[in-house]
């Protein structure tokens, strides 16, 4: 944990956004100790020095590390506000503050969606960092790979889904494909999976992220959809007619 670098970088980032009184007000509301004066001559701003003093004083206090980190995160976020949130998160995570604490609020929201385990494995870090385009791309690739692996097929993407989930000749059966309802469900998963490849995988594979943006809401909804398909795949039975 690089306490000094955190204190310096946060001070440089926030020094123009807060007054001395505001820094002290936030610190006194969060911390239950008095500030030490820890002068560092390379810091020229009074406000940056004040932020440095508070963060470094916190570093000297005897407490559980997780509790110290929670206080540090709260102090930095209150100082920075929404405008500097992403930059503050980068400073904290790049300097050793545990990932699960830096992104705690977003992590709680992510986990509440109860995504499929494969979606969590491939997408959690990207989602929490706001890389929604790449989170979706990784989830789609993971689903495509899982279908290929379970079906033992050499096909890919749209053609893979249309083939392996086919009611008649497909090797992955979601239902027994006996009744009309069975066949409708089987066809539905086939078309949903192939549509995922056409509407989501192909654009994210061929378009730059800047020209094909994906919002946080759309990302969450797409990951839920892919989680649904993963759970159908989990239930699918391999069946190859002779």
């Amino acid at each position: 944990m690089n306490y000094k670098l955190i204190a310096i970088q946060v001070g440089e980032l926030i020094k123009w956004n807060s007054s001395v009184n505001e820094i002290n007000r936030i610190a006194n509301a969060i911390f239950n100790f008095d500030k030490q004066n820890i002068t560092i001559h390379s810091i020229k701003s009074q406000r940056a020095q004040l932020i440095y003093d508070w963060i470094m004083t916190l570093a000297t206090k005897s407490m559980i590390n997780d509790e110290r980190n929670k206080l540090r995160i709260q102090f930095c976020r209150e100082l920075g506000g929404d405008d500097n949130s992403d930059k503050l998160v980068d400073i904290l995570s790049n300097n050793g503050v545990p990932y699960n604490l830096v992104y705690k609020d977003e992590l709680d929201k992510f986990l509440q969606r109860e995504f499929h385990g494969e979606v969590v494995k491939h997408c959690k870090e990207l989602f929490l960092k706001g890389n929604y385009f790449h989170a979706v791309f990784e989830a789609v690739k993971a689903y495509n790979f899982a279908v290929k692996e379970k079906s033992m097929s050499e096909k890919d993407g749209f053609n893979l889904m249309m083939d392996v989930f086919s009611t008649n000749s497909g090797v992955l059966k979601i239902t027994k494909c006996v009744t009309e309802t069975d066949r409708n469900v089987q066809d539905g998963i086939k078309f949903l999976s192939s549509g995922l490849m056409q509407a989501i995988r192909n654009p994210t594979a061929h378009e730059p992220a800047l020209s094909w943006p994906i919002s946080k809401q759309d990302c969450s909804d797409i990951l839920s959809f892919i989680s649904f398909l993963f759970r159908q795949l989990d239930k699918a039975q391999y069946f190859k007619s002779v």
Side-chain angles (χ1 to χ4, degrees):
M1 184 78 63
N2 196 329
Y3 297 105
K4 288 186 177 180
L5 198 52
I6 290 172
I8 291 170
Q9 290 179 345
V10 171
E12 285 300 305
L13 177 66
I14 305 300
K15 65 184 181 182
W16 302 116
N17 294 30
S18 298
S19 66
V20 168
N21 288 339
E22 180 69 3
I23 294 168
N24 282 328
R25 184 189 66 77
I26 291 172
N28 287 320
I30 294 172
F31 303 138
N32 62 354
F33 51 77
D34 294 329
K35 173 183 65 69
Q36 300 175 23
N37 295 320
I38 310 172
T39 302
I40 179 169
H41 296 294
S42 60
I43 296 177
K44 305 302 181 183
S45 163
Q46 180 186 7
R47 286 166 290 187
Q49 178 66 58
L50 186 59
I51 291 169
Y52 183 88
D53 288 344
W54 277 114
I55 292 176
M56 292 308 296
T57 301
L58 173 62
T60 67
K61 299 303 175 182
S62 177
M63 63 178 71
I64 298 171
N65 280 335
D66 277 359
E67 183 61 30
R68 189 195 328 276
N69 283 321
K70 289 176 184 177
L71 291 174
R72 182 184 295 108
I73 293 167
Q74 185 181 2
F75 177 61
C76 292
R77 283 186 162 167
E78 287 292 331
L79 278 177
D82 293 338
D83 291 343
N84 292 302
S85 177
D86 291 342
K87 292 178 181 178
L88 284 169
V89 163
D90 286 341
I91 290 172
L92 293 168
S93 58
N94 290 339
N95 287 291
V97 179
Y99 176 88
N100 62 314
L101 293 178
V102 174
Y103 296 97
K104 185 181 184 305
D105 292 341
E106 287 300 304
L107 179 60
D108 288 344
K109 294 175 185 176
F110 181 86
L111 295 177
Q112 285 171 7
R113 295 292 294 244
E114 296 186 345
F115 296 123
H116 186 276
E118 287 297 304
V119 170
V120 174
K121 180 173 74 174
H122 290 281
C123 307
K124 181 176 72 173
E125 184 171 347
L126 291 166
F127 182 92
L128 296 184
K129 291 184 176 180
N131 295 328
Y132 305 125
F133 177 96
H134 292 100
V136 166
F137 188 34
E138 288 303 308
V140 178
K141 287 196 297 181
Y143 179 67
N144 184 75
F145 178 82
V147 173
K148 283 173 67 77
E149 191 174 56
K150 191 162 187 175
S151 65
M152 294 181 281
S153 173
E154 294 183 359
K155 294 185 178 182
D156 187 70
F158 177 88
N159 293 330
L160 169 71
M161 305 305 167
M162 293 296 289
D163 180 58
V164 303
F165 289 120
S166 170
T167 303
N168 296 321
S169 58
V171 297
L172 295 183
K173 292 294 191 283
I174 306 296
T175 71
K176 294 180 180 179
C177 295
V178 174
T179 68
E180 182 178 359
T181 298
D182 287 344
R183 292 189 292 272
N184 285 340
V185 171
Q186 182 74 25
D187 275 340
I189 298 303
K190 175 182 71 177
F191 290 124
L192 288 173
S193 296
S194 57
L196 176 70
M197 296 298 116
Q198 290 285 81
I200 305 298
R201 193 194 77 155
N202 290 353
T204 54
H206 299 116
E207 298 292 335
L210 289 178
S211 62
W212 195 267
I214 295 177
S215 69
K216 180 180 179 180
Q217 182 65 61
D218 285 347
C219 178
S220 297
D221 292 343
I222 293 168
L223 295 185
S224 289
F225 173 56
I226 297 173
S227 292
F228 167 76
L229 292 178
F230 260 118
R231 292 187 177 103
Q232 303 314 301
L233 180 63
D234 289 343
K235 296 188 295 186
Q237 298 295 316
Y238 181 86
F239 175 83
K240 190 168 186 178
S241 59
V242 292

